[in-house]
Amino acid sequence: MRFPRWLLSDRTGLVLLAVLMIIGIGVPALNLLVPPDHPLHLTAYTVTLLGKYLCYALLAVSIDLVWGYMGILSLGHAAFFTLGGYCFGMYMMRQIGTRGVYGDPVLPDFMVFLNWKDLPWYWHSFDMFWFAALMVMVVPGLLAFIFGWFAFRSRVSGVYLSIITQALTYALMLAFFRNEMGFGGNNGLTDFKDILGYSIHADETRIVLFVLSALALAGGYLACRWLVSTRMGRVLVAIRDSEDRTRFLGYRVEQVKTLVFTFSAMLAGVAGALYVPQVGIINPGEFAPLNSIEAVIWVAVGGRGTLVGAVVGAVLVNYSKSWLTAALPEVWLFALGGLFVAVTLLLPYGLIGLLRRRRETAS
């Protein structure tokens, strides 16, 4: 079996894929095959936590694609992540049926509580898995396409574009908080029961979700790595370094930016869809601009423009967050802010960038 040249030349990427393969096999084995009283046994909580890290890593890769390679600092990717989560959450809500608190075979519990008489038109067809899986990519992608079409054609860039993306996710957060929207208001969607007839609380289902998260991350990384290794990838870097010069050379900069921004949003939507069944809830709080800013910090810590760095940063920062929020909850936000300042001043190229520069210096 021959691997493509763009993959063989990416040694850090090969290491990442090897690690994903190891944990994709090792974590299920340690959870299902090792006895619960054994020191090496991984609990269902740990499996879920690791799966959540992988979803965050895929979100970080989607941000690194547009920020690291195209120079677009998006502070609104949490919107695409959350929309993907809501799409899959709607499917799981439709699967509850008569097992809900109010026993309505069609309406979710929150609609019965709010005296809704009929299921809104945009909830129809979400009882079908294939339709929900399709909408996970279509809805975030369509929003990104429409946003990019107007923003990039208007040549909005730099800090102004970042502010607009932040305003986008904030507006969606305010909209989804309203009960009239039909998405559960501030409580969101929760109390999920099963996926394709399999209980989401079963250990086997959680293992499958974890493995799917690892596969999605590997697939998302390979897709982005292939993209940046093509001629279009070189155009992306040219846009990042000098957009006006790239435009003067005859490239349709607006179309390229819209296409890649849309693809990035679709990756974020897939991450959100895998995230929701593992955490068991999706609510408007996930739209918060702070979440988008935090995701940017993951990429900055790992090293933007590397893809691998985005994965490393997402896992490292979220592991630190899990530890600090349990050990020292009152200092977590200060630690996060200090980390971002330290990386900006001391590690402008992130951890992976630092390692690469040391390797180049040594050689």
Side-chain angles (χ1 to χ4, degrees), residues 159-229:
V159 66
Y160 302 104
L161 182 62
S162 299
I163 292 173
I164 294 175
T165 57
Q166 192 174 47
L168 172 67
T169 189
Y170 187 70
L172 286 171
M173 182 184 71
L174 295 180
F176 273 67
F177 266 123
R178 298 176 60 87
N179 289 326
E180 295 84 354
M181 287 287 290
F183 295 105
N186 63 321
N187 293 321
L189 309 179
T190 188
D191 194 31
F192 307 128
K193 305 297 184 183
D194 52 44
I195 302 174
L196 295 174
Y198 297 95
S199 172
I200 65 170
H201 303 292
D203 289 349
E204 293 78 6
T205 306
R206 294 187 178 275
I207 288 295
V208 171
L209 289 170
F210 171 82
V211 173
L212 288 176
S213 299
L215 291 174
L217 176 56
Y221 173 82
L222 287 172
C224 292
R225 176 56 65 191
W226 171 81
L227 179 63
V228 300
S229 67

Side-chain angles (χ1 to χ4, degrees), residues 211-296:
V211 173
L212 288 176
S213 299
L215 291 174
L217 176 56
Y221 173 82
L222 287 172
C224 292
R225 176 56 65 191
W226 171 81
L227 179 63
V228 300
S229 67
T230 62
R231 292 182 179 179
M232 178 175 283
R234 291 191 283 273
V235 174
L236 297 183
V237 175
I239 293 173
R240 180 194 66 190
D241 294 341
S242 181
E243 182 174 332
D244 290 337
R245 182 176 296 178
T246 306
R247 184 179 289 108
F248 292 152
L249 289 174
Y251 290 100
R252 297 181 178 272
V253 171
E254 294 78 15
Q255 293 183 7
V256 174
K257 293 170 73 173
T258 302
L259 177 63
V260 176
F261 191 73
T262 300
F263 175 68
S264 172
M266 294 170 70
L267 285 181
V270 172
L274 290 167
Y275 170 84
V276 170
Q278 296 185 80
V279 300
I281 187 173
I282 183 70
N283 59 46
E286 298 292 342
F287 282 109
L290 179 61
N291 291 340
S292 294
I293 296 173
E294 189 175 329
V296 169

Side-chain angles (χ1 to χ4, degrees), residues 16-173:
L16 171 64
L17 294 174
V19 170
L20 287 176
M21 183 177 66
I22 291 171
I23 66 172
I25 298 173
V27 169
L30 293 176
N31 174 258
L32 298 175
L33 303 180
V34 177
D37 56 349
H38 195 279
L40 294 179
H41 175 76
L42 291 181
T43 64
Y45 170 78
T46 303
V47 173
T48 300
L49 190 63
L50 293 174
K52 186 172 72 171
Y53 292 165
L54 295 179
C55 295
Y56 285 152
L58 181 57
L59 172 62
V61 168
S62 72
I63 294 175
D64 193 23
L65 178 63
V66 295
W67 185 31
Y69 288 91
M70 202 161 53
I72 297 176
L73 176 56
S74 171
L75 298 180
H77 258 57
F80 309 127
F81 179 85
T82 308
L83 286 174
Y86 263 100
C87 287
F88 201 72
M90 291 167 70
Y91 161 76
M92 290 188 288
M93 291 297 290
R94 293 297 309 275
Q95 301 306 301
I96 295 176
T98 56
R99 293 173 294 173
V101 175
Y102 297 101
D104 193 290
V106 177
L107 297 180
D109 284 337
F110 72 86
M111 290 187 184
V112 178
F113 179 78
L114 296 173
N115 293 319
W116 288 59
K117 302 303 180 183
D118 300 301
L119 191 70
W121 64 268
Y122 46 85
W123 275 78
H124 290 286
S125 299
F126 272 97
D127 56 336
M128 296 181 287
F129 178 84
W130 69 266
F131 181 83
L134 182 63
M135 290 300 104
V136 160
M137 294 182 289
V138 170
V139 173
L142 182 60
L143 175 62
F145 179 81
I146 295 173
F147 175 86
W149 177 263
F150 288 104
F152 300 140
R153 284 174 64 89
S154 301
R155 299 191 181 181
V156 180
S157 60
V159 66
Y160 302 104
L161 182 62
S162 299
I163 292 173
I164 294 175
T165 57
Q166 192 174 47
L168 172 67
T169 189
Y170 187 70
L172 286 171
M173 182 184 71

